[in-house]
Amino acid sequence: MNTIITISVLGLTAMLAEIFSFKKLLPLLVFGGLIVALIFNFKDWNTSTSYYNDMFRFDNYAILFSSLIIEIALVWFLISQGLFKSDSSLTDHHAILLFSIVGAVVMTGFSNMIMLFIGIEILSISMYVMAASNKSDVRSNEAGLKYFLMGAFATGFLLFGIALIYGVCASFNLAAIANYVSLNATSLPSMFYAGLILLMCGLFFKVAAVPFHFWTPDVYDGAPTTVTAFMATIVKTAAFASFFRLFYTCFGTIATYWVPIMMIISAVTMIIGNILAVSQTSFKRMLAYSSIAHAGYMLMAIIACNATGASALLIYAYAYAASSLGAFAFLYVMTDQLKDERIEAMKGLGKKNPLLAIILTIVMLSLAGIPPLAGFFGKYYIFYSVIQQGYIWIVVVAVISSLIGAYYYLRPVITMFQPSKDETPVLLPPFTLVFMGLIALIILLIGFAPQLFIDLL
């Protein structure tokens, strides 16, 4: 709980920074405060303490996922200082993003559906604002409006589902719902199943699964690049952490009902996400569609609905977050240096900046799931957790869709090493290059020493 309090105080401090004239110190305060929050987070290890009349439980599952969220946030703030260039919005942006992290942390440890809803809304409202934060860009304004309208619509599904489940179980508490479901697994009323379907629809929107994915390409493309990176990593991690927690805790005993639906959604999401990504000429839109495909892979951990699935989801989230941060950091460089988001604009980069090209190659191969990088290990563990449950066909679909994904992930790599008429060197600040190199190193470390990574977790 000290973690949530620390980040909330940071958000309030950011709001006051302009009034008390210390906004130049704000980036340093935020970075230091997030490190303190991370330390507080691990102090609760093995305590499994509940708060607010058992509405929130800080168990090891919540600690691991909230730690990942804070770690991503630390890295994200380092690569996203361009978002805070304007003095007029520096304090506002810091405050909004810190409160969104609070919502993400709440989503990892809720033990009551009301707390789940609160966490989702704190995170979502912040993202609606940030998607439209580039006020001079029509695409950003459109992204914020689309995200808000469709998000509000999905929230209706979620709330209606929660209401129907409450109507049957007479409780919002996850343990009480799980107990009711296990005692009445063979005689649950149709209203309960209707609530479960509506609940799934709302959560499918939050993770951008097909057919609730339509907002993703336009919002990811229109939002500022650094905000897109935030949505693709922190928001997705929090959404899947809450999705798994809810279904593993409450609905495991009736998995035979919802797992077939989840498998179909997962398979279609992987296939459509990868196929649509193939035809993209914009690097940013390609990453948007690939994030849809990755949502399909991560749904497989929920399908497994076992302890191995929880570990697999965490490891996949680490691998995907590191690779995505590397990809979006490169995209930020593209828009800043090359003024172009098209894959075609990468031509000659292998000669203009060989080190940057090598780093992006590692990132792309990891996203494609090529061994022995982090992305391969994440997929392997996800597939293993599903095979344990005997769902072989969904793994076959995942492998085939991964082969499709390899095609478009390799295209930027090939393009970088093609000759270009413009041979002007692409120069980066040393800090940016070192930082991207560290991301590549993490990807290599997870891939080459997975057991060391598992032991650390």
Side-chain angles (χ1 to χ4, degrees):
M1 182 50 64
N2 287 333
T3 304
I4 293 177
I5 293 170
T6 302
I7 302 172
S8 299
V9 169
L10 273 177
L12 292 171
T13 304
M15 292 175 68
L16 298 172
E18 192 156 9
I19 298 172
F20 294 103
S21 303
F22 62 90
K23 61 182 178 181
K24 288 185 178 179
L25 297 174
L26 198 53
L28 188 61
L29 284 172
V30 168
F31 195 78
L34 287 174
I35 292 174
V36 171
L38 191 61
I39 294 168
F40 278 140
N41 202 39
F42 280 108
K43 285 187 72 176
D44 287 328
W45 185 257
N46 281 335
T47 58
S48 194
T49 309
S50 62
Y51 300 91
Y52 304 127
N53 197 24
D54 200 26
M55 292 185 74
F56 184 87
R57 183 172 293 277
F58 230 75
D59 53 16
N60 289 355
Y61 178 90
I63 289 168
L64 285 169
F65 273 99
S66 57
S67 296
L68 172 57
I69 287 166
I70 296 169
E71 288 160 13
I72 296 170
L74 283 166
V75 174
W76 184 88
F77 273 106
L78 284 175
I79 66 173
S80 303
Q81 287 308 304
L83 184 67
F84 308 110
K85 284 180 182 177
S86 172
D87 282 348
S88 63
S89 59
L90 186 142
T91 56
D92 301 334
H93 285 175
H94 273 98
I96 291 168
L97 289 163
L98 286 165
F99 288 131
S100 71
I101 295 168
V102 171
V105 172
V106 169
M107 288 170 67
T108 66
F110 70 95
S111 53
N112 186 294
M113 286 208 190
I114 296 297
M115 193 63 81
L116 167 64
F117 175 73
I118 290 171
I120 287 175
E121 288 308 294
I122 293 172
L123 179 60
S124 297
I125 292 169
S126 302
M127 288 299 99
Y128 301 154
V129 175
M130 290 308 301
S133 59
N134 190 353
K135 293 175 282 188
S136 60
D137 187 351
V138 175
R139 290 194 311 161
S140 179
N141 298 334
E142 181 186 349
L145 182 61
K146 281 185 178 178
Y147 198 14
F148 169 69
L149 291 176
M150 298 189 75
F153 191 65
T155 298
F157 279 101
L158 184 72
L159 274 177
F160 198 10
I162 291 173
L164 291 178
I165 290 173
Y166 174 79
V168 174
C169 303
S171 178
F172 292 116
N173 184 272
L174 299 194
I177 293 170
N179 185 55
Y180 183 90
V181 170
S182 63
L183 292 175
N184 302 276
T186 57
S187 58
L188 289 167
S190 57
M191 187 167 77
F192 177 88
Y193 290 112
L196 183 59
I197 294 293
L198 289 169
L199 196 62
M200 288 171 70
C201 289
L203 291 171
F204 283 145
F205 174 87
K206 299 301 177 185
V207 301
V210 175
F212 305 94
H213 68 291
F214 292 106
W215 61 274
T216 312
D218 290 337
V219 173
Y220 276 35
D221 190 35
T225 298
T226 48
V227 175
T228 305
F230 192 98
M231 289 191 285
T233 52
I234 290 178
V235 174
K236 194 174 284 287
T237 299
F240 271 104
S242 60
F243 205 153
F244 186 94
R245 187 182 193 94
L246 179 62
F247 275 71
Y248 179 70
T249 304
C250 296
F251 309 125
T253 52
I254 56 167
T256 51
Y257 173 78
W258 56 265
V259 161
I261 300 171
M262 193 84 74
M263 284 198 288
I264 292 168
I265 295 293
S266 174
V268 174
T269 300
M270 288 185 283
I271 292 169
I272 289 181
N274 280 313
I275 289 175
L276 292 176
V278 168
S279 61
Q280 303 305 311
T281 57
S282 164
F283 188 59
K284 194 174 186 182
R285 286 189 77 88
M286 188 200 82
L287 290 176
Y289 280 108
S290 79
S291 76
I292 296 170
H294 282 286
Y297 299 122
M298 295 171 87
L299 283 173
M300 292 174 69
I302 303 171
I303 291 166
C305 200
N306 55 18
T308 307
S311 303
L313 181 61
L314 179 66
I315 293 165
Y316 194 98
Y318 263 99
Y320 174 69
S323 304
S324 292
L325 283 171
F328 280 105
F330 175 81
L331 180 61
Y332 182 74
V333 169
M334 279 184 69
T335 53
D336 186 52
Q337 297 275 331
L338 306 176
K339 311 298 181 186
D340 197 337
E341 294 178 354
R342 292 178 303 124
I343 296 172
E344 195 70 17
M346 298 182 189
K347 275 188 176 180
L349 188 63
K351 191 173 181 179
K352 296 174 186 177
N353 194 322
L355 184 56
L356 182 61
I358 290 168
I359 290 169
L360 183 65
T361 300
I362 293 169
V363 168
M364 289 289 102
L365 293 179
S366 177
L367 284 170
I370 304 297
L373 301 175
F376 167 77
F377 181 65
K379 282 184 180 176
Y380 166 78
Y381 213 37
I382 287 270
F383 295 170
Y384 175 70
S385 68
V386 175
I387 289 171
Q388 277 189 322
Q389 300 295 82
Y391 306 133
I392 305 298
W393 75 265
I394 189 69
V395 176
V396 174
V397 172
V399 170
I400 293 170
S401 66
S402 294
L403 294 175
I404 300 170
Y407 171 79
Y408 65 79
Y409 281 126
L410 289 173
R411 190 172 54 178
V413 175
I414 295 168
T415 304
M416 284 191 298
F417 294 98
Q418 290 177 345
S420 171
K421 293 178 182 178
D422 180 13
E423 295 187 357
T424 307
V426 175
L427 302 175
L428 296 180
F431 172 78
T432 303
L433 204 56
V434 169
F435 175 75
M436 291 184 68
L438 286 174
I439 290 178
L441 190 63
I442 291 168
I443 291 169
L444 290 169
L445 181 63
I446 296 173
F448 280 98
Q451 193 57 49
L452 173 65
F453 182 73
I454 291 171
D455 291 342
L456 284 172
L457 293 178

